[in-house]
Amino acid sequence: QKEVEQNSGPLSVPEGAIASLNCTYSDRGSQSFFWYRQYSGKSPELIMFIYSNGDKEDGRFTAQLNKASQYVSLLIRDSQPSDSATYLCAVWGNSGGSNYKLTFGKGTLLTVNP
Amino acid sequence: IAGITQAPTSQILAAGRRMTLRCTQDMRHNAMYWYRQDLGLGLRLIHYSNTAGTTGKGEVPDGYSVSRANTDDFPLTLASAVPSQTSVYFCASSASPGAGELFFGEGSRLTVL
């Protein structure tokens, strides 16, 4: 059973701080990694993806990947109240043969306090 | 606006009734997916379709069926609804089966009594 684990939170940070969201995965053969943001009552939307070890930056967001440790994280700099949402980690890997599967973690609820 | 349209947005259904959730995309994406999202369980894949004319089973397919007669439409049918199928259902699509960038519809909230 391939798993993606996230701390369910809630993670509470003050406005302007760095929010750090973490995710571990069990399938060492996983190939690509995604972060989705889901506002309450809304559908998930993709905010970041990363394929290679290291950091990838996009505006206030940085995704970090360490395949040796099977660990992926999302840093949000200068957190804003509008960043308050559930963040879903998703991992793309081979589920057998030529079948590939995107597995989602259960999500971390982030609250940014003004 | 291009994207995915789901219908209905909300439905209350008596147990034992048949229900079809509709999903239409206008992005000409090859792959489409149905997920259910439950508190504490996250998003779970029900069925998927890599291209028109093909479908496959996901993590929780029992009690559900799908069809993919053309590129744009991917309906999900509950043949005989049960209370455990109370959930929020999301339809999603991706440009190709191997693409991890999924575009989601707004969801259909289904309550089975």
Side-chain angles (χ1 to χ4, degrees), chain B residues 48-111:
Chain B
Y48 64 93
S49 170
N50 286 337
T51 189
T54 69
T55 62
K57 294 181 179 180
E59 182 182 358
V60 288
D62 293 344
Y64 305 95
S65 63
V66 292
S67 61
R68 187 88 182 277
N70 57 60
T71 296
D72 297 342
D73 301 300
F74 191 44
L76 176 74
T77 297
L78 289 68
S80 179
V82 296
S84 62
Q85 292 178 311
T86 294
S87 186
V88 179
Y89 291 86
F90 287 104
C91 180
S93 71
S94 64
S96 67
E101 182 179 12
L102 268 56
F103 294 83
F104 286 84
E106 291 302 308
S108 295
R109 181 175 295 275
L110 182 66
T111 302

Side-chain angles (χ1 to χ4, degrees), chain B residues 24-44:
Chain B
T24 299
Q25 55 109 352
D26 61 2
M27 296 176 284
R28 307 303 294 173
H29 282 175
N30 284 315
M32 297 187 74
Y33 314 85
W34 274 106
Y35 288 88
R36 60 177 290 175
Q37 187 173 41
D38 304 284
L39 192 64
L41 297 177
L43 279 165
R44 293 182 292 169

Side-chain angles (χ1 to χ4, degrees), chain A residues 1 32 34 36 38 41-46 49 51 88 92 99-102 104-106, chain B residues 33 35 37 40-43 45 48 50 59 90 97-102 104-107:
Chain A
Q1 178 80 8
S32 47
F34 304 84
Y36 285 79
Q38 186 175 22
K42 301 297 185 181
S43 57
E45 58 176 335
L46 181 70
F49 60 87
Y51 301 141
L88 306 173
W92 190 253
N99 295 318
Y100 289 82
K101 176 183 173 184
L102 189 64
F104 284 87
K106 295 177 183 178
Chain B
Y33 314 85
Y35 288 88
Q37 187 173 41
L41 297 177
L43 279 165
L45 182 65
Y48 64 93
N50 286 337
E59 182 182 358
F90 287 104
E101 182 179 12
L102 268 56
F104 286 84
E106 291 302 308

